[in-house]
Amino acid sequence: MTSSPHPPTEPTDPSDPAGHTGHAHPEPGHSHGHSHSHGPAAPVSKHLRKVIAAVLIPFATAVVIGMAVLWPGGAPGHERTGVGFDRQTQQGKVVSLEQVDCKSVNVAQVPATGDTSTPEGREAVASQTGDCKKATVAVGSGPDKGREFVEIVQPGAPRQLTNGQEVVVAYAPDAPRDLQYSVIDVNRKLPMAVLAGIFALAVVLVGRMRGLFALIALAVSFAVLTLFILPAILQGSNPLVVAVVGASAIMLIALYMCHGLTARTSVAVLGTLVSLLLIGLLGSLFIDWAVLSGNTDDNTGLIHGLYPDIDMSGLLLAGVIIGSLGVLDDVTVTQTSAVWELHQADPSMGPRGLYRAGIRIGRDHIASVVNTLVLAYAGAALPLLLLFSIANSSMGSVANSELVAEEIVRTLVGSIGLVASVPVTTALAALVVSADRTPGPAAAAAAAAAGPQRGGRGRRRKR
């Protein structure tokens, strides 16, 4: 062969967030090359790259400045209350276990009246007539490492202990010595670590380099969440502002790291940004209108008690924005890729044709994504829904309660943002790829193939 059928790739401008990785046209047999986008991305004109950069560079700069201004420098300290999660904990291990008569260890008192019509009375009688477990637990960490204490496990307890089991123990320094330690949970670190390892292995085996970059982006997302978003909210910063800045940072890092520094990814970023703004506006409007306080359970009550300056309704809105971001990324990247592939398949299609074809693909995506989001929230609130079902409450009263109303607002606002992201992203992608003056891949390949026929100069250059 005297010439390559592949057109040359455009040079990359390192300062251009809408530029290319330099691997837009991989060699045959390497369909993915080293690009992290959905397939080989066709190059776009320098003019379009400048337009996209003019939008994204100020946005990225604002995100960096926002993180610098709001950076918390760590979570504020406080005196532990010993309530709920705000307890001192250590590791422990069950070193011995024996069966004892529950009545002999006096684990429950039968009501003085002997009334067993109540659940408490029936439980007390059952506890005194059954066999209990007397567990000896050794503290495995902290200043009292090696110290042993006794834990009585009733027969009907939801958490049963076994000999040699790793457990989590709570420490109450102000309690009497014999009551300072108690078992509050089992140690699940090993199975959780194994499951995480299987997940990472599956992602890398199937996704290869793209899967590896996705795992790195996931780690960065957790770092932004734990090092910036949570401490900044605890320091008293506005939860909505912190969530917007933090979610924008996660979006920029995750999308560009997973899909490459290309114009296609930049369009997905713009579509995600517009959808997040819509979710923020709708969430703020309906959380205020429905008078949702965000303080609905023991955990939020504890947070409000420890840090009364935190805006709990703003914290609820921040959760809506962050929770919607992950699904938004999927929708916007998929829609952008669909429009790009349609343009590559038929470069003669105009923006209207591309939009119509892309929106037909998006309708299927909308149906599945909305259903996924609704079922995810319903699954998380399933115990609560069971309680309402047991109480024979009507659907109206259930929906009106603040606990359920929060989930409804969260689900519907997020779903509206997801639905809106499809036409918004599809329209942006259709306009960008149609305005591109770069010749399509078929025309460029034909021009490259015809080049050596003009006087043989191409052959001499290739030798």
Side-chain angles (χ1 to χ4, degrees):
M1 295 292 291
T2 58
S3 63
S4 171
H6 296 276
T9 57
E10 290 183 337
T12 302
D13 183 357
S15 65
D16 181 8
H20 303 279
T21 59
H23 301 282
H25 298 279
E27 294 299 320
H30 299 277
S31 58
H32 291 284
H34 298 285
S35 175
H36 306 297
S37 62
H38 288 263
V44 296
S45 64
K46 188 175 181 180
H47 172 71
L48 277 181
R49 293 206 302 271
K50 288 183 177 180
V51 171
I52 297 174
V55 177
L56 289 178
I57 288 179
F59 170 61
T61 303
V63 170
V64 172
I65 294 174
M67 291 189 70
V69 172
L70 297 172
W71 191 261
H78 70 280
E79 292 186 7
R80 291 187 179 271
T81 62
V83 178
F85 289 103
D86 194 38
R87 291 180 285 190
Q88 297 184 42
T89 60
Q90 302 292 345
Q91 301 301 311
K93 183 178 182 179
V94 179
V95 293
S96 67
L97 199 66
E98 60 178 311
Q99 296 283 345
V100 296
D101 184 10
C102 290
K103 194 171 184 178
S104 67
V105 292
N106 195 28
V107 296
Q109 295 290 339
V110 179
T113 59
D115 183 15
T116 58
S117 61
T118 63
E120 293 82 3
R122 290 193 295 270
E123 183 179 347
V125 171
S127 299
Q128 285 207 344
T129 57
D131 289 332
C132 292
K133 291 180 180 179
K134 183 179 180 181
T136 302
V137 182
V139 180
S141 62
D144 292 332
K145 183 178 181 180
R147 176 177 166 182
E148 295 183 349
F149 66 95
V150 173
E151 183 84 8
I152 303 298
V153 183
Q154 298 183 27
R159 182 177 59 249
Q160 296 293 319
L161 301 180
T162 58
N163 196 14
Q165 187 175 32
E166 301 284 342
V167 294
V168 179
V169 298
Y171 174 58
D174 297 332
R177 179 175 174 80
D178 292 342
L179 302 176
Q180 285 182 335
Y181 284 96
S182 61
V183 177
I184 59 170
D185 210 341
V186 299
N187 191 329
R188 303 181 181 89
K189 291 182 179 179
L190 180 59
M192 299 292 283
V194 171
L195 181 60
I198 294 173
F199 163 73
L201 183 62
V203 170
V204 173
L205 286 178
V206 177
R208 299 189 179 182
M209 285 302 297
R210 191 178 299 175
L212 178 61
F213 276 95
L215 289 177
I216 296 174
L218 180 62
V220 173
S221 298
F222 272 106
V224 173
L225 182 65
T226 56
L227 299 179
F228 172 69
I229 295 178
L230 299 180
I233 292 175
L234 291 178
Q235 291 282 11
S237 300
N238 186 293
L240 176 58
V241 176
V242 171
V244 169
V245 173
S248 299
I250 291 173
M251 174 184 66
L252 289 170
I253 295 170
L255 285 180
Y256 282 119
M257 184 174 290
C258 293
H259 305 289
L261 200 65
T262 64
R264 179 188 295 188
T265 309
S266 300
V267 172
V269 168
L270 290 176
T272 305
L273 175 61
V274 173
S275 302
L276 280 179
L277 292 176
L278 177 61
I279 289 174
L281 291 174
L282 286 176
S284 179
L285 172 63
F286 283 95
I287 286 174
D288 289 342
W289 193 4
V291 196
L292 299 177
S293 65
N295 189 2
T296 53
D297 57 23
D298 294 340
N299 293 327
T300 54
L302 178 60
I303 293 172
H304 186 64
L306 293 174
Y307 300 97
D309 294 334
I310 292 180
D311 180 9
M312 299 304 294
S313 60
L315 187 62
L316 173 62
L317 179 56
V320 173
I321 293 173
I322 295 173
S324 302
L325 177 61
V327 189
L328 270 178
D329 289 352
D330 174 50
V331 174
T332 55
V333 169
T334 302
Q335 285 303 115
T336 305
S337 295
V339 172
W340 238 262
E341 296 299 330
L342 287 168
H343 177 70
Q344 285 185 285
D346 185 3
S348 64
M349 290 181 68
R352 183 172 297 180
L354 286 171
Y355 176 80
R356 288 176 178 174
I359 207 68
R360 284 196 295 269
I361 298 172
R363 290 192 186 106
D364 291 334
H365 208 180
I366 287 173
S368 61
V369 166
V370 169
N371 194 46
T372 299
L373 195 62
V374 171
L375 290 180
Y377 285 128
L382 197 58
L384 178 64
L385 297 177
L386 282 175
L387 287 177
F388 281 112
S389 179
I390 293 171
N392 292 323
S393 301
S394 65
M395 290 299 295
S397 61
V398 169
N400 189 66
S401 65
E402 185 169 1
L403 274 171
V404 178
E406 277 190 6
E407 300 302 327
I408 292 175
V409 170
R410 193 195 311 266
T411 301
L412 296 182
V413 167
S415 298
I416 291 172
L418 291 174
V419 171
S421 69
V422 172
V424 168
T425 308
T426 305
L428 285 173
L431 289 173
V432 168
V433 78
S434 298
D436 185 16
R437 293 188 292 270
T438 302
Q453 299 176 4
R454 295 190 297 269
R457 294 181 181 178
R459 292 190 190 95
R460 287 193 294 270
R461 283 195 298 267
K462 288 292 181 182
R463 288 193 179 101

